[in-house]
Amino acid sequence: MPSFRAPRGTRDLLPEVRVGLSRLESIARSLSVRYGYREIETPLFEQTAVFERGIGEVTDVVEKELFRIAPRTEESESWALRPEATAGVVRAYIQAGMHTWPQPVKLMLTGPMFRYDRPQAGRYRQFWQWNCEAIGDPGPAVDAEMIELGWRFYAEAGLTDVQVLLNSIGDAACRPAYLATLVAYFRGHEDELPELERRRLETNPLRLLDSKDPAMKALVAAAPKISAGLCEACESHFAAVRAHLDALGVAYRISPTLVRGLDYYARTAFEYYRQGAEGQQQALGGGGRYDGLVESLGGRPTPGIGFALGLDRVLLALAETGVAPQREAPPLAVIVGADPADTVARLRVASLLRAEGLAVRAELAPRKLSRQLETASRDHAHFAVIIGDELADGHVQLKDLDAGTQRLVPLAELAHELTRAAASHHHG
Ligand code: AMP
């Protein structure tokens, strides 16, 4: 027999890990309600062109990391698994005619993303993100609202040392002149550029600023900064974003080399890092304003801003900080029986309680009662419901496993009794 394993770069989220992810998802949902983001789902795959146009053909994500789906027939469309959510959400915005809805349209999504990345710590081929998009508002206030939203997410998740790195990357009015200055600067150092960066200088020069190559560090530090070349409109937009963040008490740091290397990105760019981890190239999350994206996917000119927060990295960070992991809730009660063979009675009582909304387990192994009770304690259940001869006149024994006490309860009142007892348990 072959021994099968999860594909390289993926992992099973076993229940004790999945419960942590569920907790993050529920914090994200709760925050989305509070901040007015409505949940949407888009397909896990799209036409490849959605990503090529929506993310850009000269990005790593599309050039090297796209999970392409092998076509079944020659005339099949070309599809790819989504490497991020924004392109699909914006495609949906256009397709559903959301420009006729009250603007901005604020959407959120959590789910798996796929990138054919080289697997390493904190870098998987399937990973989970929480995504928020506010489409149809030019900002600056919504920029700050969104940055604060992400920051609050980390705080509520239990990471209190997260800071925001912030930059403005200008817009179509001022970026071309800056790019010319930047290209001229790097041309002057062309023989010092690693091969990859020399190529990028031709295709996507802004990307040189966030190069991962250590050989680029000094060159980047001395490169001209876009902050010096912002036009008046971008300058005042940036100032207003900062003023709003100050008023909200969000801790941020200006990072002049933080860029998003695509034409449709404009103005606000931000990333979240744990303090002290900025140098490690492992952002917890990031986002930015994409005022040209709707148009480049075929919609009318519409401003937008969004973020993508990686949830796997939050789980890793939480594990590092030693925050006690989320525990799965034990069953409230385990249903056991004096007659080991009478699984029908145990299942019937369990079914009745489950219909009332209670989490219970029926012990279905035909063991002696004493052994069944041991499994109830092993489960950390608060109660055991013991089915015996009393069932004939509609009663069962309710045993409090912590207190060791036991009393006869009419079956008709069992759900109510359990609920009440559970409440008093929780309140000591
Ligand atoms: P990006 O779209 O590359 O800015 O990614 C946004 C966030 O998603 C990052 O800050 C990470 O937290 C997370 N992320 C991106 N790629 C991966 C990956 N391969 N594995 C795990 N998390 C990732």
Side-chain angles (χ1 to χ4, degrees), residues 116-355:
Y116 197 75
D117 225 346
R118 197 167 60 81
Q120 50 189 293
R123 205 167 273 287
Y124 307 103
R125 289 181 171 175
Q126 175 174 348
F127 58 97
W128 276 260
Q129 280 186 348
W130 175 36
N131 245 87
C132 283
E133 316 289 343
I135 307 174
D137 185 333
V142 77
D143 304 33
E145 182 186 57
M146 173 163 276
I147 292 168
E148 192 226 12
L149 169 57
W151 184 69
R152 188 171 300 285
F153 169 77
Y154 294 116
E156 294 200 0
L159 295 178
T160 49
D161 61 347
V162 172
Q163 75 168 356
V164 180
L165 296 192
L166 182 67
N167 197 17
S168 172
I169 57 168
D171 66 4
C174 53
R175 203 163 42 213
Y178 167 71
L179 280 180
T181 320
L182 189 69
V183 169
Y185 166 80
F186 281 119
R187 284 255 158 78
H189 295 87
E190 202 152 352
D191 42 346
E192 298 160 59
L193 293 180
E195 173 59 31
L196 174 68
E197 311 302 339
R198 205 171 307 160
R199 220 158 25 88
R200 280 186 177 150
L201 187 55
E202 307 307 322
T203 54
N204 196 345
L206 215 50
R207 289 281 314 281
L208 270 64
L209 292 178
D210 68 355
S211 168
K212 310 280 181 265
D213 195 319
M216 292 291 291
K217 210 170 166 180
L219 273 182
V220 167
K225 303 294 179 294
I226 190 155
S227 42
L230 293 179
C231 61
E232 223 173 277
C234 285
E235 186 64 61
S236 74
H237 186 276
F238 192 28
V241 172
R242 295 190 319 254
H244 282 80
L245 288 175
D246 291 337
L248 293 172
V250 175
Y252 64 87
R253 211 153 55 80
I254 305 295
S255 171
T257 57
L258 173 59
V259 292
R260 306 252 135 188
L262 298 167
D263 288 348
Y264 59 72
Y265 278 113
R267 298 186 171 169
T268 311
F270 56 98
E271 276 179 349
Y272 299 95
Y273 282 88
R274 294 186 63 203
Q275 250 151 42
E278 299 90 335
Q280 295 172 17
Q281 303 171 7
Q282 292 265 23
L284 287 171
R289 174 161 284 289
Y290 46 75
D291 289 349
L293 177 56
V294 179
E295 205 178 351
S296 74
L297 283 175
R300 50 189 81 191
T302 311
I305 183 166
F307 70 46
L309 311 188
L311 301 181
D312 308 75
R313 290 195 189 157
V314 176
L315 292 177
L316 285 172
L318 285 171
E320 269 172 32
T321 52
V323 173
Q326 178 83 0
R327 288 268 294 275
E328 295 160 80
L332 177 60
V334 173
I335 321 302
V336 298
D339 176 1
D342 193 358
T343 47
V344 168
R346 303 207 279 282
L347 262 191
R348 264 190 48 228
V349 171
S351 169
L352 197 129
L353 295 172
R354 288 163 176 164

Side-chain angles (χ1 to χ4, degrees), residues 63-109:
E63 234 175 10
K64 295 191 276 180
E65 298 170 3
L66 209 53
F67 256 100
R68 295 170 194 277
I69 298 177
R72 294 183 64 109
T73 59
E74 261 167 37
E75 64 274 23
S76 288
E77 294 175 278
S78 154
W79 296 303
L81 297 181
R82 65 181 185 196
E84 52 102 68
T86 308
V89 170
V90 167
R91 194 264 313 132
Y93 175 94
I94 299 165
Q95 184 178 340
M98 294 188 208
H99 64 278
T100 62
W101 301 7
Q103 305 291 300
V105 176
K106 293 161 85 179
L107 300 169
M108 83 84 149
L109 176 159

